[in-house]
Amino acid sequence: MRIESLLLWITIGFSSATAAEPVVVDRIEPPNWYRGYAQTETQILLHGPAIGSADVSVAGAGVTLVRTVRVANPNYLFAYIDVASDGDATVQFTVTRDGTEATLDYRLPKRRANPTPGFSAADVIYLITPDRFANGARSNDRVSGYPEGVDRDNPDGRHGGDIQGVIDRLDYIAELGITQLWLNPVLENRMPQGSYHGYATTDFYSVDPRFGTNTLYRDLSVAAAQRGIGLIKDVIVNHIGTGHWWVDDLPTPDWLNNADQYRQTTHARTALQDPYAAPADVVAMTDGWFVPTMADLNQRQPLLADYLVQNALWWIEYANLSGIRVDTYPYPDKAYMASWTQRIMQEYPTFSIVGEEWSVNPVVVSYWQRGQRNFDGYISALTSLMDFPLQAALVESLTTPEAPYTSVWTPLYEMLANDHLYPDPMNLVIFGDNHDMDRLLTQLDGDPRRLRMALAILATMRGIPQIYYGTEIHADNPDSDAHGVLRSDFPGGWPGDETDLFEADGDTAVNITRQTLRRLLRWRRSADVIHTGALQHYTPERGNYVYVRYNANRTVLVAANRRETPSTLPLSRFRDRIGQATVGIDVLSDEPIDISDTLDLPAMTVRVIDIERTR
């Protein structure tokens, strides 16, 4: 909550006529809390000039002041309160110093009775960089006090996309077959440049006004839910932007790692699970700054540790989130991240948290998933990981040249064979690209046929598919891998755009791809065999790769041909799973297809055949 909003409900009073400076509380965080959490003790951060020398009391049924914590910086005071589930919806804090006092009303509404249940393999996630998707409110293109305004000619500048633009395009997203929406961070980034991407937070409790408001973010959650779409928040626990209001007024000397002398992280994430790692290498990885503009938080600081987990819980409740995506998951203190995820899952047992561990080694990625029995005894509560190993294998299988004695599909086939390393491979998030890598079409050598093959595999593979905005309209970055370029604007998202690709335009290559994805995802929404069914695949032969998804009532045959010539696939090899069925439904054409003997596979295609499907 911003200062101007906070002061609307702070009243300053004087208990006696003195010359003492009045008590000023310019921040209170969280701006409210909720009754009904399993852990009832709550930290309240108070900030104001010399507030550390003040006394605090709280009045109201069901709330008790447990303790106050004074820190080195006199401008901070931390009050811990105990909140009963059946207490008052509004209580009063009184902050007293030298005969003057400030009285603050503090809201404590009850938690939601039925929070969203998280996401699963029944879902498909659509990832959006909001600054580059659609500009729904021109009035917030430039905001007083924020150094960056709209400059669409600058790939690294702000382009004006916002939350209202996402709300305005929710019907497009729903029509595509999407069930979960993940936005890159929308919290305040009061940074002098590069603020559009959102990963250098400067206020943990306020949406950046160039994106909208907290209320509008919650409206997005409501509007999305009305269309059967959940909202996933991008969360950064590891660092803050150097423009964060803490940085020039740190609560404690140990609030940041390496606050006095910049040290960059080594990015050597394997040190965290290396049995031979030198302790200094672990510290260098976790305590170094990600980049010079992102100050590294010290999660071992007890007050900060409480603050960060409460911030996550507050946003889950405030916006009725269905999940969290955690940026740079291995970079914070790993013992803290275990407790952070455990606390969230304690309060929201069906919630989903997906962590970013950017490694193509499944041994490294699987270390962090809930249920893993690690050699060092580390226990994680993280439900999901981004499946970077599968992403790399998929792209390799779709681009590697044919060789005489191996199949082009061997990388994907062998990577899937590593699934025994994961406690729950069905709960991994699978994807072709995201906001930090080349666009999928660019990775696939600009070939729309390969793109459609990748999308068909993502739609039918084990795990939770994630599609990056614009993939369906052939977004690419052939001439530059700069982040500002690959995070391109969605044509038609801005008034006056020459092209509007939110609208279909005939039988073009773009619309063939988008229609392919739409048919797959809309079919997938009711295909429980894809959501929960088992996976069996067959050793690739030449340019062909076949796998089936199956349960007791239904089988889906997925057959890929990556050769430049058509192929005829004998089906006898797959009878152990497809049985004696002679007819299936081609998902992309919705037409019956003969599977009594062979299956014709056109060049560079994936066919998805639904067997025992009632039409």
Side-chain angles (χ1 to χ4, degrees):
M1 181 177 290
R2 294 184 181 83
I3 295 173
E4 56 267 29
S5 299
L6 177 66
L7 292 178
L8 292 176
W9 52 273
I10 295 179
T11 56
I12 305 296
F14 298 90
S15 58
S16 61
T18 69
E21 291 293 323
V23 179
V24 175
V25 182
D26 55 36
R27 286 185 183 269
I28 182 167
E29 295 181 344
N32 69 276
W33 196 240
Y34 296 94
R35 291 173 288 140
Y37 280 118
Q39 291 194 29
T40 57
E41 187 172 287
T42 303
Q43 177 200 91
I44 308 295
L45 179 157
L46 302 167
H47 181 269
I51 198 172
S53 61
D55 294 318
V56 177
S57 62
V58 60
V63 62
T64 305
L65 180 66
V66 179
R67 65 187 183 280
T68 55
V69 179
R70 306 177 198 279
V71 294
N73 188 332
N75 297 328
Y76 290 85
L77 186 63
F78 294 84
Y80 281 81
I81 61 174
D82 188 84
V83 179
S85 61
D86 58 351
D88 287 344
T90 301
V91 299
Q92 289 77 41
F93 282 97
T94 301
V95 185
T96 306
R97 186 189 61 219
D98 298 330
T100 68
E101 67 179 29
T103 302
L104 295 72
D105 287 341
Y106 193 76
R107 294 179 56 249
L108 293 169
K110 285 191 70 67
R111 286 180 57 189
R112 296 174 186 270
N114 298 299
T116 53
F119 54 81
S120 71
D123 288 299
V124 178
I125 300 168
Y126 195 63
L127 166 59
I128 291 175
T129 302
D131 182 64
R132 306 299 171 88
F133 189 64
N135 187 343
R138 303 297 294 276
S139 60
N140 61 15
D141 287 355
R142 292 188 177 273
V143 176
S144 177
Y146 289 77
E148 283 199 300
V150 168
D151 181 4
R152 291 185 72 189
D153 293 330
N154 178 5
D156 296 318
R158 297 191 79 96
H159 290 190
D162 50 30
I163 295 171
Q164 186 61 53
V166 178
I167 293 174
D168 293 343
R169 300 306 191 279
L170 281 174
D171 287 340
Y172 170 85
I173 295 168
E175 280 293 312
L176 202 57
I178 300 301
T179 62
Q180 297 287 336
L181 187 59
W182 158 24
L183 304 185
N184 289 145
V186 296
L187 295 185
E188 182 194 271
N189 264 243
R190 199 189 292 254
M191 299 291 287
Q193 59 187 12
S195 65
Y196 77 93
H197 58 66
Y199 285 99
T201 302
T202 58
D203 188 326
F204 275 112
Y205 283 99
S206 291
V207 166
D208 193 294
R210 292 163 293 184
F211 286 140
T213 64
N214 287 14
T215 300
L216 190 65
Y217 183 68
R218 186 164 54 183
D219 290 345
L220 167 63
S221 180
V222 171
Q226 291 169 348
R227 295 163 173 83
I229 299 173
L231 183 61
I232 300 169
K233 186 174 186 292
D234 206 330
V235 170
I236 309 105
V237 181
N238 180 64
H239 54 261
I240 54 175
T242 50
H244 194 288
W245 63 275
W246 282 337
V247 170
D248 293 329
D249 191 32
L250 291 175
T252 66
D254 60 348
W255 205 256
L256 301 179
N257 292 313
N258 297 307
D260 298 328
Q261 181 179 2
Y262 174 77
R263 290 189 177 90
Q264 185 165 323
T265 175
T266 62
H267 299 287
R269 300 182 307 280
T270 53
L272 302 177
Q273 46 189 276
D274 179 358
Y276 309 116
D281 289 343
V282 175
V283 173
M285 208 304 281
T286 58
D287 289 4
W289 288 28
F290 201 77
V291 293
T293 55
M294 297 177 181
D296 197 69
L297 294 172
N298 176 19
Q299 299 82 23
R300 296 179 296 275
Q301 212 295 330
L303 295 169
L304 177 58
D306 289 342
Y307 180 98
L308 292 173
V309 73
Q310 286 186 191
N311 180 254
L313 293 172
W314 186 87
W315 278 108
I316 294 169
E317 192 63 33
Y318 176 83
N320 199 26
L321 302 177
S322 61
I324 283 174
R325 179 264 185 183
V326 186
D327 183 63
T328 59
Y329 189 85
Y331 286 79
D333 181 80
K334 76 175 190 178
Y336 174 72
M337 292 311 293
S339 63
W340 184 87
T341 51
Q342 179 59 47
R343 173 71 193 283
I344 292 172
M345 298 309 296
Q346 176 192 18
E347 300 292 357
Y348 297 91
T350 62
F351 196 66
S352 297
I353 309 174
V354 55
E356 178 200 31
E357 166 55 284
W358 195 333
S359 171
V360 297
N361 184 345
V363 174
V364 173
V365 176
S366 63
Y367 179 88
W368 302 103
Q369 192 174 28
R370 179 173 65 183
Q372 183 68 297
R373 296 185 178 183
N374 288 307
F375 73 96
D376 58 358
Y378 184 75
I379 299 174
S380 176
L382 185 64
T383 62
S384 179
L385 277 300
M386 304 300 300
D387 197 344
F388 284 94
L390 193 75
Q391 188 276 336
L394 174 62
V395 170
E396 184 178 358
S397 283
L398 287 168
T399 56
T400 188
E402 285 198 77
Y405 302 111
T406 60
S407 170
V408 293
W409 293 105
T410 297
L412 180 60
Y413 171 77
E414 291 189 345
M415 188 58 72
L416 283 167
N418 289 319
D419 271 6
H420 64 89
L421 296 168
Y422 297 103
D424 188 4
M426 281 290 289
N427 219 4
L428 300 174
V429 173
I430 60 176
F431 59 102
D433 60 352
N434 65 22
H435 57 289
D436 286 326
M437 59 175 58
D438 284 341
R439 288 287 188 161
L440 183 53
L441 183 60
T442 299
Q443 294 181 59
L444 299 177
D445 302 327
D447 189 338
R449 300 171 303 167
R450 298 175 199 259
L451 177 62
R452 290 190 284 270
M453 293 178 75
L455 294 174
I457 291 170
L458 290 171
T460 54
M461 181 55 64
R462 62 95 177 116
I464 308 162
Q466 171 245 292
I467 308 296
Y468 191 34
Y469 83 99
T471 296
E472 73 277 15
I473 58 162
H474 293 187
D476 62 356
N477 59 299
D479 301 321
S480 172
D481 62 358
H483 281 183
V485 174
L486 61 92
R487 301 162 183 167
S488 55
D489 294 351
F490 197 115
W494 280 254
D497 279 359
E498 293 183 5
T499 303
D500 185 356
L501 291 185
F502 284 106
E503 299 293 333
D505 184 22
D507 193 25
T508 64
V510 165
N511 282 325
I512 292 171
T513 298
R514 178 159 49 191
Q515 187 64 15
T516 295
L517 182 61
R518 181 183 288 123
R519 285 175 177 169
L520 285 165
L521 298 189
R522 291 170 69 85
W523 161 81
R524 191 185 189 279
R525 292 185 81 155
S526 60
D528 62 328
V529 65
I530 303 297
H531 308 162
T532 59
L535 167 69
Q536 179 173 303
H537 63 172
Y538 298 83
T539 305
E541 293 181 337
R542 300 175 184 170
N544 294 337
Y545 176 47
V546 174
Y547 59 90
V548 294
R549 302 296 307 278
Y550 66 96
N551 58 23
N553 303 311
R554 193 171 180 182
T555 299
V556 174
L557 175 74
V558 183
N561 175 23
R562 221 216 73 185
R563 306 188 98 178
E564 291 287 353
T565 56
S567 175
T568 298
L569 185 70
L571 296 175
S572 57
R573 186 180 175 208
F574 317 113
R575 289 295 172 190
D576 63 327
R577 284 299 165 206
I578 67 174
Q580 299 308 307
T582 59
V583 177
I585 300 294
D586 186 315
V587 169
L588 288 174
S589 69
D590 203 34
E591 295 293 332
I593 186 167
D594 185 351
I595 57 170
S596 59
D597 185 24
T598 60
L599 180 65
D600 290 334
L601 296 177
M604 301 295 289
T605 58
V606 175
R607 299 197 78 164
V608 181
I609 310 301
D610 194 345
I611 303 169
E612 300 176 6
R613 170 186 170 194
T614 56
R615 298 195 68 197

